[in-house]
C-alpha cells in the first residue's frame, strides 16, 4: 500500500531521509511510563495493543515489555524497516491512522507515541474507535524538551523557525480533535525525563530527526547545525562537554473508548 500521499509532506520526506538519525537522536521514556501502561492503559499478557505511527520503534519495546501482543502500524517504510529489523517479534504493517489495516474491535488499546499530532482529526479517531474493542483505551504520549531551561528554549526557537505548516505537539492544536463521541474524558499525566549523551546525539541528531528539519535542503540543514554549534559554544553548561543532559517533560494521555 502506498501511503505517502496520505501523510504530511514533512513526515514523508524527512522521516524517510533521516530514519537512522531518528534512532540515534530521540530520547527514551521515563520508567514511570511502564506503570502507566499497566495501570492506566491496562496492558498485560493476553491483551493486544496497536502502536500507531510507530516510527522506528522507539516506544515499541515499552509495549513489548508489558507482555501484550504488539502490532506496529507506520506509513513510512524506511522507518518501519528499522522497527522490523530491531523487533522481529512485533507484527509490523504499513498503514495510516485513517486506514488502519486491522479488523473491527481487534485491539485492546491504541498507543500513539510522538505521533498523534500528525493525524489529530475526526477521520483518524473514527478509525481508532473502529479497531478498539469495547472497554479499550486510546493512549497518547509525547516527549518534549523542557523549555523552562533558557538554553533549551533557544534550541526550540531555532527549530521552530523552520516548522512551516508541520503539525506540532507543543502548539496544542491536536486537542481540537476532542471531545469526540467515540471517547470518554481525557486523563493527563506528566513525568520528568532526561536525555543524556553526546551533544552530537542529544542536540544535533535530535534536531536533525525533526521531520521538517530533515526535509530541508542541505544548505539550510547546515545553517541549523551552525546555529546549534554557536549556541553550545556560548553556553557554559554545554561548551566543551563530551556528555550533556537535555531535560524533557513526558506527557501521557489516556481516553477510554465510549461503548
Amino acid at each position: 500500500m502506498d501511503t505517502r500521499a496520505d501523510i504530511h509532506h514533512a513526515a514523508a520526506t524527512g522521516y524517510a531521509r533521516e530514519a537512522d538519525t531518528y534512532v540515534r537522536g530521540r530520547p527514551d521514556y521515563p520508567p514511570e511510563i511502564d506503570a502507566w501502561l499497566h495501570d492506566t492503559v491496562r496492558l498485560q499478557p493476553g491483551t493486544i495493543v496497536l502502536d500507531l505511527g510507530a516510527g522506528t520503534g522507539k516506544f515499541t519495546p515499552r509495549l513489548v515489555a508489558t507482555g501484550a501482543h504488539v502490532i506496529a502500524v507506520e506509513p513510512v517504510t524506511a522507518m518501519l524497516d528499522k522497527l522490523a529489523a530491531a523487533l522481529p517479534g512485533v507484527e509490523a504493517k504499513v498503514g495510516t491512522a485513517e486506514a488502519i489495516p486491522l479488523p473491527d474491535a481487534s485491539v485492546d488499546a491504541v498507543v500513539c507515541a510522538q505521533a498523534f499530532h500528525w493525524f489529530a482529526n475526526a477521520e483518524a479517531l473514527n478509525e481508532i474507535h473502529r479497531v478498539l474493542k469495547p472497554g479499550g483505551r486510546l493512549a497518547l504520549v509525547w516527549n518534549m524538551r523542557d523549555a523552562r531551561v533558557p538554553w533549551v528554549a533557544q534550541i526550540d526557537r531555532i527549530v521552530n523557525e523552520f516548522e512551516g505548516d508541520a503539525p506540532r505537539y507543543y502548539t496544542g492544536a491536536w486537542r481540537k480533535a476532542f471531545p469526540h463521541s467515540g471517547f470518554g474524558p481525557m486523563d493527563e499525566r506528566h513525568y520528568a525525563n532526561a536525555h543524556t549523551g553526546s551533544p552530537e546525539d542529544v542536540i544535533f541528531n535530535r534536531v536533525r530527526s525533526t521531520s521538517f528539519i530533515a526535509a530541508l535542503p542541505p544548505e539550510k540543514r547546515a545553517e541549523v547545525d551552525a546555529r546549534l554549534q554557536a549556541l553550545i559554544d556560548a553556553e557554559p553548561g554545554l561548551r566543551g562537554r563530551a556528555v550533556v543532559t537535555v531535560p524533557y517533560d513526558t506527557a501521557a494521555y489516556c481516553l477510554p473508548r465510549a461503548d
Side-chain angles (χ1 to χ4, degrees):
M1 177 170 55
D2 182 4
T3 60
R4 291 177 65 90
D6 301 324
I7 59 176
H8 193 278
H9 59 87
T13 301
Y15 288 148
R17 178 184 289 171
E18 294 291 345
D20 286 331
T21 304
Y22 193 102
V23 173
R24 295 193 302 272
R26 292 286 171 142
D28 204 343
Y29 296 84
E32 292 90 345
I33 285 293
D34 297 331
W36 176 77
L37 287 170
H38 181 271
D39 299 336
T40 303
V41 189
R42 300 181 182 177
L43 298 182
Q44 59 186 346
T47 58
I48 302 172
V49 58
L50 167 60
D51 188 355
L52 183 60
T56 61
K58 192 76 180 185
F59 192 76
T60 315
R62 298 281 185 173
L63 302 178
V64 172
T66 68
H69 175 72
V70 182
I71 304 169
V73 170
E74 165 60 39
V76 180
T77 54
M79 301 190 88
L80 192 65
D81 289 346
K82 296 290 180 187
L83 185 154
L87 299 164
V90 170
E91 187 178 345
K93 296 177 177 288
V94 175
T96 66
E98 294 84 358
I100 299 172
L102 295 176
D104 294 356
S106 57
V107 301
D108 297 285
V110 174
V111 176
C112 309
Q114 303 293 130
F116 184 73
H117 55 282
W118 289 110
F119 45 81
N121 57 64
E123 185 180 3
L125 286 173
N126 292 343
E127 185 71 346
I128 291 168
H129 184 271
R130 179 186 68 79
V131 301
L132 277 171
K133 297 177 183 178
R137 295 286 188 272
L138 168 60
L140 316 174
V141 184
W142 284 276
N143 274 326
M144 185 174 176
R145 286 183 293 268
D146 189 345
R148 292 174 295 183
V149 177
W151 61 262
V152 176
Q154 291 182 59
I155 293 175
D156 283 353
R157 281 194 290 272
I158 293 170
V159 172
N160 294 350
E161 284 183 31
F162 298 92
E163 67 185 12
D165 65 350
R168 307 287 304 284
Y169 163 70
Y170 85 91
T171 68
W174 62 273
R175 290 181 180 271
K176 295 177 182 177
F178 302 102
H180 182 281
S181 61
F183 297 92
M186 180 185 294
D187 177 87
E188 179 174 348
R189 314 284 177 94
H190 290 266
Y191 307 104
N193 195 15
H195 193 196
T196 299
S198 68
E200 179 69 12
D201 278 340
V202 305
I203 295 178
F204 287 100
N205 281 332
R206 173 62 187 90
V207 169
R208 292 166 185 155
S209 76
T210 305
S211 59
F212 52 85
I213 299 294
L216 290 172
E219 63 274 13
K220 286 293 185 181
R221 281 182 276 149
E223 176 191 331
V224 172
D225 278 358
R227 292 174 64 181
L228 291 173
Q229 187 62 60
L231 186 158
I232 291 169
D233 292 343
E235 174 56 47
L238 299 175
R239 184 173 59 244
R241 294 183 180 270
V243 176
V244 299
T245 296
V246 180
Y248 277 77
D249 172 67
T250 298
Y253 306 84
C254 188
L255 302 94
R257 183 187 190 272
D259 300 330

